[in-house]
Amino acid sequence: MNKFVAIVGSNSQKSTNRDLLKYMKRHFQSKAEIELVEISGLPLYKKTPDEFVPQEALDIAKKIEASDGVIIATPEYDHSIPAVLSSALAWLSYGIHPLVDKPVMITGASYGSLGSSRAQAQLRQILDSPEIKARIMPSSEFLLGHSLQAFDEDGNLKDKKVVEQLDGLFQDFLQFVNIAKQLNNANDVNKQKAEEFSWDKD
């Protein structure tokens, strides 16, 4: 059975993105083992002369490296991902590169009708950056709009069509992960390039 790391892209105590990942963990428990990972304990990203990486980031990186894939749930603030998620991804590409060639599924929930669509588009660009180089599942937006009304009292999604869409996308992700395992012939080179890349050098 595949093991996935699910990153809660928010530091809010009451987050519908966390609710979404909790639902996915329960709903897909017969298909995959999903571990929720919080990023709220990470300090704000800051470059240092000795490239110090906090232990919290190293612990998350270790879980990602041991996983078969990553699911990220992002809210949308001002048409972009939250600063806490941006900071976390910066730590995960600063001297460590656990996301190189790692299959990633992007999800997102928002209070409005757009379901974090702009944030997801931005997140795709970030994950494709030369320091991260994740393997993002294509054409796979899961946009949960009006998320405050989306769950019942047991934390389950109420709309059957939404559930059907998520079921289909998750099945696609399982297949994507299996395909990605066969596409790692350049993994060592890709990791080396990520390690050698620097915006400070020409």
Side-chain angles (χ1 to χ4, degrees):
M1 182 180 290
N2 285 311
K3 295 183 179 181
F4 298 145
V5 167
I7 297 176
V8 180
S10 170
N11 58 0
S12 173
Q13 292 185 351
K14 294 183 179 181
S15 167
T16 53
N17 282 277
R18 184 182 295 107
D19 293 340
L20 174 59
L21 293 179
K22 285 183 176 180
Y23 169 77
M24 293 177 68
K25 177 182 174 72
R26 294 192 311 273
H27 187 65
F28 298 121
Q29 61 183 337
S30 65
K31 297 183 177 181
E33 180 181 326
I34 300 176
E35 178 184 1
L36 267 66
V37 170
E38 301 283 349
I39 58 175
S40 56
L42 285 169
L44 186 66
Y45 172 74
K46 182 180 180 182
K47 294 175 69 173
T48 59
D50 60 348
E51 290 193 355
F52 170 78
V53 179
Q55 187 61 47
E56 296 90 341
L58 294 174
D59 291 343
I60 294 174
K62 186 176 181 180
K63 290 181 179 182
I64 291 174
E65 288 173 345
S67 74
D68 296 293
V70 176
I71 304 167
I72 303 177
T74 180
E76 182 171 311
Y77 301 152
D78 298 327
H79 291 181
S80 63
I81 66 172
V84 65
L85 179 55
S86 178
S87 179
L89 292 172
W91 280 127
L92 293 173
S93 59
Y94 185 58
I96 53 176
H97 304 277
L99 286 163
V100 172
D101 292 333
K102 186 68 66 172
V104 176
M105 176 181 182
I106 298 175
T107 66
S110 72
Y111 296 168
S113 59
L114 296 178
S116 76
S117 60
R118 293 182 179 88
Q120 290 194 34
Q122 183 193 41
L123 182 55
R124 284 179 178 275
Q125 291 182 315
I126 294 171
L127 291 172
D128 196 40
S129 65
E131 313 98 300
I132 298 180
K133 276 298 176 188
R135 203 181 294 277
I136 313 147
M137 186 167 75
S139 304
S140 59
E141 285 184 326
F142 180 73
L143 309 170
L144 183 63
H146 303 292
S147 57
L148 286 175
Q149 296 81 38
F151 299 93
D152 63 20
E153 60 273 11
D154 296 320
N156 297 316
L157 288 172
K158 295 188 289 187
D159 191 321
K160 291 183 178 179
K161 288 185 178 180
V162 171
V163 174
E164 288 176 3
Q165 182 194 20
L166 183 58
D167 286 349
L169 289 174
F170 192 78
Q171 188 62 41
D172 286 347
F173 186 55
L174 293 176
Q175 294 183 18
F176 180 70
V177 168
N178 289 333
I179 293 171
K181 290 177 181 178
Q182 304 172 45
L183 301 176
N184 277 332
N185 295 304
N187 182 252
D188 291 340
V189 175
N190 290 340
K191 283 191 174 182
Q192 182 179 359
K193 290 179 69 175
E195 290 168 359
E196 294 174 350
F197 182 85
S198 173
W199 292 105
D200 299 326
K201 296 186 293 186
D202 292 333

